[in-house]
Amino acid sequence: MMCLGLPQSVRACLFDLDGVLTRTAVVHAAAWKEMFDDFLRGREGEGFRPFSAGDYDTYVDGRPRADGVRTFLASRGIELPEGGSDDPPGRESVQGLGRRKNDLLLEKIREQGVEVYPGSVRYVEEVRKAGLHTAVVSSSKNCRDVLVSAGIEDLFGVRIDGLVAEKRGLPGKPAPDTFLAAARDLGVPAAGCAVFEDALAGMEAGRAGNFGYVVGVDRVGQAAELRRHGADVVVQDLADLTAQDRQEDSA
Ligand SMILES: [Mg+2]
């Protein structure tokens, strides 16, 4: 068996998408910032406090879109009506702001394409070669399109994304339900699953679901925060997990 840097008990690997498999977390962050800064400027004028990287990490990253809107606005003491799913993008409602963010995201993805992290793709391939099961677990409703654009949709036996979660009535991260659904669909108990996440909300989901192992992927220098929110190990790239094994082997 290949060295995967995981406990022997792990039979399945559950991967987040944006920021773990693909370089799309930065695109999400840019779309959220553009949308929220426009909104805040319109409300408070040029003296507004801009949406920051810390706001993204704490209130938005990893959560379903509408939860991200609500959680960030609450942090600024703002409450908006929920609105309907047919609210036009940009209307001052949770759904309207969420749709505006999604339009900006899709525009940026169309312009820039989807880039994968090569170390992650190699790691998923090794995991499969070793006979472990794989799933992708994402809050995004664009998950399937992003997987197809990146050419990696065949690497996952199960996909639990924002559309599946909505259909099954599953609460999103930081609740563990979407990860637990993936484990169930793969037929592996939570204790036999490793969770791979870059978001603080994802760490909490991993901890709340009592998964066997939680890998924090630190793309933005928040290793300590990832640990505090439940990571068993923190790496900068999934390739580091296999490198760790090689170092231990030769020690
Ligand atoms: Mg992520």
Side-chain angles (χ1 to χ4, degrees):
M1 177 168 147
M2 310 277 296
C3 293
L4 299 167
L6 298 173
Q8 289 286 346
S9 53
V10 170
R11 305 304 312 146
C13 294
L14 316 179
F15 297 94
D16 172 48
L17 175 71
D18 298 297
V20 170
L21 299 170
T22 56
R23 274 181 213 275
T24 37
V26 285
V27 191
H28 278 278
W32 280 112
K33 180 170 174 55
E34 195 173 330
M35 181 277 285
F36 276 135
D37 282 357
D38 281 350
F39 167 76
L40 292 168
R41 189 181 291 112
R43 194 179 167 96
E44 297 166 10
E46 278 309 320
F48 78 100
R49 179 151 57 95
F51 180 79
S52 70
D55 289 329
Y56 177 71
D57 294 338
T58 307
Y59 304 118
V60 174
D61 188 19
R63 297 175 198 264
R65 197 182 306 152
D67 293 351
V69 175
R70 266 185 241 106
T71 311
F72 168 70
L73 291 180
S75 80
R76 299 286 178 100
I78 300 169
E79 203 181 313
L80 290 184
E82 185 62 26
S85 56
D86 54 350
D87 271 20
R91 172 165 303 168
E92 296 207 349
S93 66
V94 170
Q95 295 296 329
L97 292 188
R99 287 192 73 185
R100 172 72 184 139
K101 180 266 171 176
N102 195 47
D103 283 357
L104 290 168
L105 174 79
L106 296 178
E107 196 179 296
K108 289 173 196 301
I109 285 179
R110 264 195 305 273
E111 280 165 16
Q112 303 164 19
V114 173
E115 245 186 285
V116 298
Y117 288 104
S120 294
V121 174
R122 272 197 304 275
Y123 186 81
V124 178
E125 287 168 350
E126 285 186 24
V127 160
R128 291 174 65 87
K129 250 186 261 168
L132 274 60
H133 300 283
T134 53
V136 60
V137 181
S138 170
S139 297
S140 177
K141 291 182 174 171
N142 302 305
C143 177
R144 190 170 171 276
D145 291 341
V146 169
L147 290 172
V148 170
S149 296
I152 55 173
E153 74 273 27
D154 294 340
L155 290 179
F156 306 95
V158 161
R159 170 174 44 88
I160 305 289
D161 61 15
L163 295 172
V164 175
E166 192 172 76
K167 208 179 298 168
R168 296 195 197 174
L170 303 171
K173 308 165 189 178
D177 302 57
T178 49
F179 282 112
L180 289 170
R184 208 174 305 122
D185 285 6
L186 290 172
V188 178
C193 293
V195 166
F196 298 77
E197 258 288 353
D198 68 319
L200 302 180
M203 294 293 97
E204 285 174 20
R207 180 158 65 185
N210 290 311
F211 291 95
Y213 202 57
V214 178
V215 179
V217 184
D218 180 25
R219 308 285 190 193
V220 293
Q222 58 174 357
E225 282 292 279
L226 289 167
R227 280 203 187 84
R228 211 165 58 74
H229 284 78
D232 292 309
V233 66
V234 175
V235 293
Q236 291 186 328
D237 192 271
L238 296 194
D240 298 348
L241 285 167
T242 48
Q244 240 169 30
D245 272 352
R246 276 196 293 277
Q247 275 163 15
E248 280 162 20
D249 287 349
S250 60

